[in-house]
Amino acid sequence: MTSASFHPATGPARRTVVAAAGAASLGAVLAACGGSDDDASGDTGTAPSGSPSQEAGGGGSGSGENAGAGAALAATADIPEGGGKVFPDQKVVVTQPAAGDFKAFSATCTHQGCAVKSVADGVINCPCHNSSFSITDGSVQGGPAPKPLPAVQITVSGDSIRLAG
């Protein structure tokens, strides 16, 4: 029996074309998930674990996360107990883990920079890859996020919640 000799076709191999298409698709997906906000501000995202206070967050580093410092975010009545509210324009999420205890965190997911979108059942949720974070301290509760949401300083005066300057 004789076998036909194999003569490779000219041009790129099928495997090369498929790999290149996959790499291009992956690049597009990562670019869509990644935001222009950098996470290299040097803020470790560790929030103090002290008792509840009228000044919450205690970890702001002046990294531009809290644009509009001093501006009123919301009334305390707007933040549900055991929940929270996302403020996309300020890139901050404010939570109320217990009655009268208000916390604030960056609304930028630490996984790939997507904006968190909701607060439900005691967690802050990122829709991009299903990361979830505690409303109490911003710690990772699930998903691929590698570190907690950085704390943002807020002040509560009367019934007004403001970003700390």
Side-chain angles (χ1 to χ4, degrees):
M1 242 161 105
T2 63
S3 63
S5 63
F6 177 71
H7 296 288
T10 59
R14 182 178 192 182
R15 186 176 297 174
T16 303
V17 172
V18 171
S25 296
L26 179 62
V29 168
L30 292 177
C33 287
S36 62
D37 297 339
D38 66 349
D39 205 25
S41 65
D43 189 357
T44 61
T46 55
S49 59
S51 62
S53 69
Q54 290 294 1
E55 196 166 297
S61 63
S63 63
E65 293 272 345
N66 45 353
L73 282 175
T76 55
D78 294 339
I79 311 301
E81 184 178 341
K85 184 174 179 181
V86 178
F87 297 90
D89 292 343
Q90 291 83 6
K91 297 182 182 178
V92 68
V93 57
V94 177
T95 65
Q96 185 179 190
D101 181 22
F102 297 92
K103 306 283 184 176
F105 307 97
S106 169
T108 303
C109 181
T110 58
H111 176 229
Q112 290 188 343
C114 293
V116 300
K117 295 289 183 199
S118 65
V119 181
D121 301 322
V123 294
I124 302 163
N125 300 296
C126 179
C128 293
H129 300 102
N130 297 319
S131 288
S132 57
F133 304 88
S134 168
I135 64 169
T136 303
D137 59 7
S139 63
V140 177
Q141 299 297 300
K147 54 187 182 173
L149 292 175
V152 173
Q153 290 187 350
I154 56 171
T155 57
V156 179
S157 179
D159 67 351
S160 179
I161 300 171
R162 298 181 178 275
L163 289 171

